[in-house]
Amino acid sequence: MENLQSGYLFPEISMREFEHTQKYPDAELIRLGVGDTSQPIPDIITSAMAEQAQNLSTIEGYKGYGAEQGNTELRVAIAETFYKNTGVKGNEIFVSDGAQCDISRLQMLLGSNVTVAVQDPSFPAFIDSSVILGRAGKFQKETSKYGNVVYMNCSPQNDFFPDLQTTPRADIIFFCSPNNPTGYAASWHQLKQLVEFAKSNGSIIVYDSSYASYISDPTPTSIYEIPGAREVAIEVSSFSKFAGFTGVRLGWTVVPEELLYSNGFPVIKDYDRIVCTCFNGASNIAQAGGLACLSRQGYKAITSVVDYYMENTKIIYEALTSVGLKVYGGKNAPYIWVHFPGMSSWDVFNKILEKTHVVTIPGSGFGPAGEHYIRVSAFGHRDCILEASMRLKTMFS
Amino acid sequence: MENLQSGYLFPEISMREFEHTQKYPDAELIRLGVGDTSQPIPDIITSAMAEQAQNLSTIEGYKGYGAEQGNTELRVAIAETFYKNTGVKGNEIFVSDGAQCDISRLQMLLGSNVTVAVQDPSFPAFIDSSVILGRAGKFQKETSKYGNVVYMNCSPQNDFFPDLQTTPRADIIFFCSPNNPTGYAASWHQLKQLVEFAKSNGSIIVYDSSYASYISDPTPTSIYEIPGAREVAIEVSSFSKFAGFTGVRLGWTVVPEELLYSNGFPVIKDYDRIVCTCFNGASNIAQAGGLACLSRQGYKAITSVVDYYMENTKIIYEALTSVGLKVYGGKNAPYIWVHFPGMSSWDVFNKILEKTHVVTIPGSGFGPAGEHYIRVSAFGHRDCILEASMRLKTMFS
C-alpha cells in the first residue's frame, strides 16, 4: 500500500470541495466533480424497497440470509433486460453491492501474480486496487506511471481506442465502455479487435459497462454482443448510474461458463467461491429495488431520469463548445472531457474552482493521459447545470 | 484458490439441506444448521428503513453516495452504544455491509505476505480467505490442516482458550469471542493474556465480536475493555445476529488510531484507503435501520429478540443434556456445541439428518479440532426449536 501515490481520487476531490466552502462560505458551490446522481429515484422503485423493508417486520415476510449470488428472480431479470440474445443466463449473474466492490472481489480472484493493462485514462479503482494487491512496480515520477502496468493510451489521436498492434500482452485487461472519464463508447469493430486481442494472448477482459444505459450511438451496450466474448470476458455493471442507486448500493458481475483458466477450470466456479467466502449477498431491500427497476413501468421511469441527465450533458457540451474549447465525450455518457492543451489539469481545476465555484475533476487523476484535461459531470440538478454552464461560458469567453 | 479443500461450509450445508428435501419431500425439515436469524425485525427499525427508502423518491430526501466510512451519526452511535468507556471514537468506526465482507477487506489490507493464527475451531471465513490470498501452505490430509497456519486449539481441556505459552508467533491472530461455533466467550483474564501475547510478538489481533450481544456472563463484550488493546487489535462486528440484519447487511470494523505498523504508520489510514478504493459504503437504507436499532426504543425491542434466541438456546441445551450428551456453549451465544467422542462429525450430522430431519453443522467444518462435534444453532422459531429438541431427545434416549 505504501506504493500508492496519493489518496483515492474521489474523496480527495470531496476534501477540496470542503476546503473551498471553508474559504468561501458564502459562495454558491456547484458540484460537477464526483459523478454522483442527484435526481430522486422513481416512486415505483422506492415503494418496492419500502415494502420489502416493512415486510421484514412480519413473520411471513421476514427473510434472513439470501443466496450470496443474489435472488434468482433478479438474476434472471438482469440477464433478460441487459443481455438479450447474448447467451448470458441468470446463473452467470452475480448480484452485488456495486461495481467498485466487485472489482475488488475480482482482484482477489485474480490474485497478486498477474499482469494488468488499463485504459489511460480510466476509473482509478482498477489501478489502485491492482497496486494494493502488489501487482504494480514502483511509481515512476517522470512518466506518472506504475511499473509493470500496461497503460493503453486513449486519446483523440486514436479515436479513444488503444492501438492493440503495439499494446504489450497482460493477463488482465480492464476496459471501461462507455469510458469514465472520457465518455467514449467503443464501437462494435473496436470491441471485436479487443476480444480477438485477448483471445490470441490468453488474457481475461474485465469489462465495465456501468454507463451502458447512457449510450445513444448504435454501439454495443455489452461486451457479450461480440462473438467469442464469452470465452474471454467478465462484465461488471451497476444500478448506481442507471437508476440513481449510488447510495442504495446494487450492481452485478457476469462470469460466463465458457470462461476457463488455461488449465481448463471454469472461472465461474472460483468466482462463486469468492462471493460465498468474501461476500454475503447484496441487501435484500436493495435487491427488491433492483427488481422493480427492471419491471416495465420501473424501467420506463428510469429511462426518463437517464434522458434528463443526457439533456444536462448536452447543455454543458454546447456551452463549452460555444466558447471554443475542445470538448469530447457527452454522447454516450454524462461526462464531458475538456482539453486544455499545455495546461496542467490541477491548475485548470483550481482556476475554475476559484473563479466560478464550480467543482470539476482534474483529468490527470484518471491516469497520465488525462493530463491537460478536466472531466465535467452532468449528474446535477438542471438549475445547477444551467448556472454552471453560464459561469463557465463567462470565464472562457 | 486451488489449495482450498472444498466449497465454503455454509453453502455446502444448504446444498445438503436441499438434497435432503429432494429425498424426503414430505419430511418436515428443521434447519438448525446455518446460523440464520428467523425472527422479524422490530417495526420501529423496519419503519425507519421504509421511510429512508421512500425519502429517496423526493428531491429533498434523495441522497447519492454517502461517506465510504458510513454516516457520521451512525458511527458515533455505534461508538457510544458498544464502546462506552473504552476510548473508541466515531471516526475509528468503519460502517460496512457485514463482518464477513470486512474480514476480506482486512485481508486485502494485510496482504499476502503475512502469517496467520486462527482458533481451532472457528468461523471458516478467516482461514478460507487466508488461503485465497495465498498465505497458507498446502493442505495436509493427515492433520486436516493447511501449512504455514497456526491452529490455536480450543477445547474443553483448555477451557476453550489456547495455551499461549506454546502458541507460535503469527503476524495476524484471528480471534472470535463469543466463538462461533463453540459459543464460548473468553474471560477478561484470558483476553488480557491474548493482548499481552500480541503486544510482545508485534502481532495484530483481528477480534470478531459479532455475537457479543448474546453474552450473559460478566465477561468483556469488546476487546477494547482490555488495557493496551487499542495498540494491537482491530475489532469486527455486525448487526446480523444482534438485530436480525443477516439479509439487510450491516456491520462495522473498529481500527484504533493507536494501532501502528512496525514503521510507525497508522493502520487506520491504510484501512481508510482500502474502504474508499474497494468499497463504497453500506446501503443508506440499511444504515438508517442501524441507527434506529441504537435508539432507546429500538435497542429495547432488539434486546427482546436476543432474549428469545437465548431462551431457544436454553431449551436445546437442556434437551441434549437430559439425554446425557456432552454439551458445551449455549450461555454466551445461541450455539450449542455437542461432543460425540470417537464419531466423525459428518457421520453424526448425516445420522441426525436421516433420523430426525434436523439440520445441524458438522464441527469439522470449523477446523480439525471441531472433529467429533456438531454445532446446533438456536436461531429458529420457537416451535421448531421445541420440535427439534423432542426429536433429538427421542433419538438419543
Side-chain angles (χ1 to χ4, degrees), chain B residues 93-109:
Chain B
I93 308 274
F94 294 83
V95 177
S96 77
D97 60 332
Q100 180 159 311
C101 315
D102 272 352
I103 289 163
S104 281
R105 281 183 281 269
L106 286 169
Q107 298 283 38
M108 273 192 94
L109 171 81

Side-chain angles (χ1 to χ4, degrees), chain A residues 6 36-37 41 43 46 54 56 62 64-65 100 104 128 241 244 246-249 273 276-278 280 283-284, chain B residues 6 36-37 41 43 46 54 56 62 64-65 100 104 128 241 244 246-249 273 276-278 280 283-284:
Chain A
S6 59
D36 193 7
T37 46
I41 300 172
D43 178 73
T46 58
Q54 206 60 78
L56 296 175
Y62 181 74
Y65 289 122
Q100 180 159 311
S104 281
D128 285 8
K241 310 300 165 100
T246 43
V248 172
R249 313 300 314 140
R273 185 66 160 93
C276 289
T277 311
C278 305
N280 237 326
S283 175
N284 48 19
Chain B
S6 59
D36 194 6
T37 46
I41 300 172
D43 178 74
T46 57
Q54 206 60 78
L56 295 174
Y62 181 74
Y65 289 121
Q100 180 159 311
S104 281
D128 285 8
K241 310 299 164 97
T246 43
V248 172
R249 312 301 312 140
R273 185 67 160 91
C276 289
T277 311
C278 305
N280 239 326
S283 175
N284 48 20

Side-chain angles (χ1 to χ4, degrees), chain B residues 119-184:
Chain B
Q119 284 158 297
D120 180 19
S122 73
F123 182 51
F126 299 131
I127 197 145
D128 285 8
S129 56
S130 296
V131 174
I132 288 172
L133 275 172
R135 293 177 194 150
K138 285 254 162 278
F139 187 78
Q140 292 144 0
K141 279 246 166 86
E142 321 79 63
T143 56
S144 294
K145 293 180 180 178
Y146 290 96
N148 301 336
V149 172
V150 176
Y151 287 77
M152 302 184 293
N153 183 284
C154 297
S155 62
Q157 285 73 45
N158 60 14
D159 195 23
F160 292 103
F161 188 80
D163 179 0
L164 297 176
Q165 303 279 354
T166 61
T167 300
R169 183 199 174 280
D171 296 316
I172 313 299
I173 302 167
F174 289 106
F175 199 93
C176 180
S177 178
N179 177 274
N180 174 6
T182 67
Y184 186 84

Side-chain angles (χ1 to χ4, degrees), chain B residues 330-351:
Chain B
K331 273 189 77 183
N332 298 307
Y335 292 132
I336 311 269
W337 188 237
V338 197
H339 197 188
F340 293 90
M343 295 178 71
S344 127
S345 290
W346 277 104
D347 279 355
V348 177
F349 167 85
N350 284 325
K351 266 186 198 147

